[in-house]
Amino acid sequence: MKPYKSVIIVVLVLAILTTAYILIKDKKGTNNNNNSTTDTGQITKLTDLNIDSISEFTIKNTYGTFNFVESDEKWVISDKKEIALNQSIIVNNIIGQMAAISSTAIVTDNAGDVATYGFGPKNNQMTLKIKLSDGSVKELEIGKRNFSKESNYARYPGSTKIFLVDSFVYDTFEFSLEAIRDTLIFNIDIGDIAAYSLTKKGVLVYNISKLESGGWVIDRPVVANADTKVLSTIFETLTGLSKINIIENNAKNLSKYGLDKPSYKIEITHKTGKIVLILGDMKVSGSEIYAKLGDSNEIFTMDISGLNFIDKPVNEVMDIYVYQVPIGTVSNVRVSMDGHVTNLGIVSDGNNFDKDTFTVNGKDASKSDSDGRQLARLYYQALIDLRRMEAINTTAKPSGKVEVTITYTLEISPYTMKIELISKDSKYFYIMKNGKFSGFTMKKNQLNSTEGVRDIYTKLMKMIK
């Protein structure tokens, strides 16, 4: 081998060994001031706090200074209380980390120049200030990354003792306002929804409320049961809506977003309050539209491409029945029809329908026919299977003979539901519910169908003689 090649190889080996030595020393937190070597065997708890004892805290990072306080059991930024924050990020990530910060090593007990580690008046170190419920205050500063990029330097304010903390600690507190905003529009569980309404161009499309039984009823502008499958799809869509971009935090002129005379208003009532989403009549682009929440003047954009239900009429969110209610919530049904009155008494087991018992006008009607069918149950099913017509007429004022009255005695609200069928003409009935016109009609010939109300009634009366 030629001599110059040997020299080159030796130099390269030395360079590699030297680089490796430097990297290893820095990863261990080498003290650049030569006051002492890093103690990697000592884990120090820099904060060890009870989360519930934190009453206020301030974080200064490269995005600014954020002072967090509690308001109405939620964390907010003191000078921006109108901005909704993601409480999960605040509590689980930020406060959770703040309460338990540990160092991975002590770099030096007495740094000669703290600026080397990113501290001091000429540096933009991260600062944490935590106020506890007892009035005491805890503070910590986090400086620059070390050479390995796996850790950051940390110290108590004014101290020359330097620690190392994992870099993810720094990253947890290095956030922007946009990163901690609550972007979900309806940040609630579907099970907590108690009422839902939709208004279009200032006119109520429908108002829907949840019943004790778990079902849903439309009470305006017509009276009908809502289709639970349709509602479930609507609620899944609404609870998944997010803000895309924040346009203004406190807009003074709503008209330029079409929000002074909005296109739609969606209102959700839940167990702890009410959320109102207002959509402008102006789109940003494509399916992106301007929107705001309730009385807030924070303007944001959102995607409405999934809100295909907002242009559907009330007819498409209701079920097709005159009145349908689970048998387990009914104790009696009184039917006045064709000159006779039938009182159907029901005692439901709740878990096993084979154990349900029935009476008709005081007589036991629980037994089955020769085909093994409980005719009393079939009579009830025929009553709740009566179906309305699709056409809606909310302006009609029915007046005429009540030909059929079906009164349900319920164990839940509204406790009584009185259905009256008023003759409209030779083919149709008007449908009244608790004295109010429902807005619907039904065909008279439904009562005469095979296995219909009249058919099952006749068979039932023969059986209980």
Side-chain angles (χ1 to χ4, degrees):
M1 180 182 294
K2 293 184 179 180
Y4 73 85
K5 288 186 177 181
S6 299
V7 172
I8 291 173
I9 291 172
V10 171
V11 170
L12 288 172
V13 170
L14 286 174
I16 292 170
L17 292 174
T18 300
T19 301
Y21 174 73
I22 292 172
L23 286 171
I24 292 170
K25 287 193 73 180
D26 187 79
K27 190 170 183 177
K28 289 183 177 181
T30 303
N31 172 25
N32 296 327
N33 294 294
N34 297 319
N35 293 313
S36 66
T37 58
T38 299
D39 182 357
T40 59
Q42 184 174 347
I43 302 298
T44 304
K45 291 183 178 180
L46 301 181
T47 62
D48 186 15
L49 307 172
N50 183 334
I51 290 177
D52 294 333
S53 70
I54 299 176
S55 61
E56 183 178 340
F57 62 94
T58 301
I59 297 175
K60 174 182 170 294
N61 59 29
T62 59
Y63 291 97
T65 300
F66 305 91
N67 183 50
F68 294 87
V69 296
E70 282 193 281
S71 176
D72 295 329
E73 299 183 351
K74 290 184 179 181
W75 287 100
V76 297
I77 298 173
S78 60
D79 60 343
K80 296 181 176 66
K81 291 184 178 180
E82 73 282 0
I83 297 178
L85 304 180
N86 187 315
Q87 298 300 304
S88 178
I89 292 177
I90 303 300
V91 175
N92 298 329
N93 295 11
I94 296 175
I95 297 180
Q97 179 62 75
M98 182 184 297
I101 301 175
S102 295
S103 73
T104 56
I106 299 174
V107 178
T108 177
D109 288 318
N110 187 20
D113 182 9
V114 296
T116 303
Y117 305 100
F119 301 111
K122 294 183 179 180
N123 286 287
N124 191 29
Q125 65 264 20
M126 176 181 286
T127 61
L128 312 178
K129 186 175 182 180
I130 310 163
K131 185 177 181 180
L132 305 180
S133 54
D134 63 4
S136 61
V137 176
K138 306 292 183 184
E139 295 185 68
L140 186 69
E141 295 179 346
I142 302 178
K144 66 182 183 180
R145 289 260 162 103
N146 70 342
F147 187 77
S148 71
K149 304 300 182 183
E150 294 179 1
S151 303
N152 281 73
Y153 299 109
R155 71 164 186 169
Y156 297 113
S159 174
T160 57
K161 188 172 186 176
I162 308 298
F163 302 91
L164 281 182
V165 295
D166 282 331
S167 57
F168 72 77
V169 175
Y170 177 92
D171 293 340
T172 298
F173 304 124
E174 179 62 3
F175 54 80
S176 64
L177 176 59
E178 297 303 317
I180 60 173
R181 279 182 183 268
D182 184 2
T183 59
L184 280 178
I185 294 172
F186 294 99
N187 193 2
I188 52 176
D189 293 328
I190 290 178
D192 293 336
I193 298 176
Y196 156 62
S197 70
L198 172 66
T199 301
K200 182 177 179 180
K201 295 291 184 181
V203 178
L204 179 71
V205 179
Y206 48 72
N207 186 76
I208 304 175
S209 302
K210 191 174 186 178
L211 301 171
E212 289 182 33
S213 63
W216 293 82
V217 62
I218 301 170
D219 52 36
R220 286 179 292 160
V222 295
V223 180
N225 285 349
D227 188 319
T228 55
K229 290 183 179 179
V230 173
L231 275 187
S232 178
T233 301
I234 291 174
F235 292 159
E236 286 178 7
T237 301
L238 291 177
T239 54
L241 292 177
S242 294
K243 302 172 186 177
I244 297 176
N245 291 305
I246 306 299
I247 306 303
E248 281 194 63
N249 287 322
N250 189 21
K252 303 299 183 183
N253 182 8
L254 298 180
S255 63
K256 66 179 181 179
Y257 304 110
L259 290 165
D260 56 329
K261 298 178 180 178
S263 297
Y264 305 93
K265 181 172 74 171
I266 298 171
E267 188 171 309
I268 293 287
T269 302
H270 55 98
K271 67 178 184 179
T272 59
K274 184 180 292 186
I275 303 172
V276 180
L277 172 64
I278 300 173
L279 305 180
D281 62 359
M282 296 175 61
K283 288 186 178 180
V284 183
S285 63
S287 59
E288 194 172 337
I289 195 170
Y290 292 113
K292 67 188 281 295
L293 287 172
D295 295 331
S296 170
N297 282 343
E298 178 192 78
I299 309 300
F300 56 87
T301 63
M302 56 169 284
D303 185 359
I304 62 165
S305 60
L307 304 186
N308 57 345
F309 58 87
I310 61 177
D311 288 315
K312 291 183 177 180
V314 63
N315 194 58
E316 295 192 25
V317 296
M318 60 180 63
D319 68 19
I320 62 175
Y321 303 100
V322 172
Y323 186 68
Q324 191 172 80
V325 61
I327 195 170
T329 63
V330 180
S331 60
N332 184 268
V333 184
R334 186 179 187 273
V335 182
S336 177
M337 182 176 69
D338 299 337
H340 56 72
V341 175
T342 306
N343 275 293
L344 175 64
I346 303 171
V347 178
S348 176
D349 177 78
N351 297 314
N352 187 348
F353 73 85
D354 290 330
K355 295 182 180 181
D356 293 349
T357 61
F358 301 90
T359 59
V360 173
N361 296 336
K363 296 180 180 180
D364 178 36
S366 299
K367 61 183 179 180
S368 302
D369 65 4
S370 59
D371 295 322
R373 305 182 307 167
Q374 280 184 310
L375 292 178
R377 183 186 298 279
L378 291 181
Y379 184 59
Y380 177 79
Q381 290 175 346
L383 292 170
I384 65 172
D385 195 47
L386 293 175
R387 305 187 181 201
R388 61 172 175 80
M389 295 295 294
E390 292 298 320
I392 299 173
N393 183 355
T394 59
T395 60
K397 296 180 180 181
S399 61
K401 181 182 178 181
V402 177
E403 294 192 13
V404 180
T405 302
I406 307 169
T407 305
Y408 296 85
T409 300
L410 308 168
E411 297 178 358
I412 57 174
S413 178
Y415 302 107
T416 299
M417 174 55 69
K418 185 177 182 179
I419 307 296
E420 294 173 295
L421 303 181
I422 298 177
S423 182
K424 178 179 182 291
D425 51 38
S426 61
K427 292 184 178 180
Y428 299 101
F429 290 122
Y430 289 115
I431 302 170
M432 305 290 291
K433 291 187 174 183
N434 280 345
K436 181 179 179 181
F437 178 47
S438 67
F440 298 97
T441 60
M442 68 164 268
K443 287 184 177 181
K444 288 184 174 182
N445 62 10
Q446 285 189 71
L447 298 171
N448 302 322
S449 63
T450 302
E451 300 280 281
V453 174
R454 286 192 171 103
D455 182 28
I456 296 297
Y457 171 80
T458 300
K459 294 174 181 177
L460 179 60
M461 291 300 105
K462 288 180 180 179
M463 187 185 74
I464 64 172
K465 277 185 178 180

